[in-house]
Amino acid sequence: MWDDDRDGRREHEGLARALDESGTPDGRVWNGHAWQEWDSWGETGLVTFDLHPGEPTALRAECQCVWHGEARAVDGDPASTAAAVKADWEQHIATVTAAMYPVDVADEMADLMSRLYALTQEQPLAALTALRELEQKIEPLRVATVAHSRHLSLSWQKVADALGVTRQSAWEKYQFAGTGADVDAAYAKAAPPAS
């Protein structure tokens, strides 16, 4: 199995799954040296297959996140085919982790949400004020970040994927990003607080 452990996360594990002549996963994986029976993802329990007799005819990369790559024919040496499907998985990892933020940021966001929830219970009006101010800071920062992403020549599709919206929606809302006074104003509003 292949692991991706960026920033302390273990969200993606991959393997080279054996396929039979019909393209059906047959319950074996190539472990780098030999075929090994592996009928399910042990940690998720999401995928189980019946074991099939005979030699696998193809391999594909699979990830614990349920992504899988294209089938690649086994040409005598499963190790060379496994190297190709591992490259498919590594491309998948590069794509999905491009927008992954560091664990310390996730921890700080979780801490902020916990504090805001507690404030909601104790002082609801103060919590509403804090949420309003947070919203006023987020959108300008988002505009500045889209502008910077476009300045780095990232596609509208990649920006949209990171925002969790369609490409068209991202373009319609942020097409001005990267030009003129609107971005300058967004940077000014999004500036970090003085220490």
Side-chain angles (χ1 to χ4, degrees), residues 56-96:
T57 58
L59 285 174
R60 75 177 183 198
E62 289 188 2
C63 189
Q64 188 178 22
C65 73
V66 299
W67 169 91
H68 65 80
E70 66 180 83
R72 296 185 180 272
V74 176
D75 299 326
D77 180 15
S80 63
T81 308
V85 299
K86 184 176 183 187
D88 293 343
W89 180 77
E90 288 171 347
Q91 179 60 43
H92 158 69
I93 294 302
T95 300
V96 298

Side-chain angles (χ1 to χ4, degrees), residues 19-150:
L19 306 175
D20 66 17
E21 61 281 345
S22 70
T24 303
D26 77 358
R28 287 175 281 186
V29 298
W30 180 255
N31 69 9
H33 309 288
W35 297 110
Q36 174 182 347
E37 290 187 6
W38 184 295
D39 67 348
S40 68
W41 282 101
E43 293 180 22
T44 64
L46 294 177
V47 184
T48 57
F49 304 111
D50 294 330
L51 295 176
H52 295 279
E55 289 298 311
T57 58
L59 285 174
R60 75 177 183 198
E62 289 188 2
C63 189
Q64 188 178 22
C65 73
V66 299
W67 169 91
H68 65 80
E70 66 180 83
R72 296 185 180 272
V74 176
D75 299 326
D77 180 15
S80 63
T81 308
V85 299
K86 184 176 183 187
D88 293 343
W89 180 77
E90 288 171 347
Q91 179 60 43
H92 158 69
I93 294 302
T95 300
V96 298
T97 60
M100 185 182 288
Y101 51 90
V103 170
D104 65 324
V105 173
D107 291 345
E108 289 174 19
M109 288 191 333
D111 183 50
L112 175 61
M113 295 307 294
S114 176
R115 293 175 69 193
L116 287 171
Y117 181 79
L119 188 60
T120 297
Q121 302 304 310
E122 298 162 10
Q123 296 177 288
L125 294 178
L128 289 172
T129 302
L131 291 168
R132 182 191 74 231
E133 288 182 16
L134 184 60
E135 287 173 350
Q136 290 171 345
K137 293 178 186 303
I138 287 174
E139 187 57 24
L141 184 57
R142 189 178 293 128
V143 170
T145 305
V146 169
H148 185 64
S149 299
R150 295 292 297 146

Side-chain angles (χ1 to χ4, degrees), residues 4-10 90 93-94 97-98 100 103:
D4 179 73
D5 193 11
R6 298 177 195 209
D7 297 325
R9 298 177 186 185
R10 295 186 65 93
E90 288 171 347
I93 294 302
T97 60
M100 185 182 288
V103 170

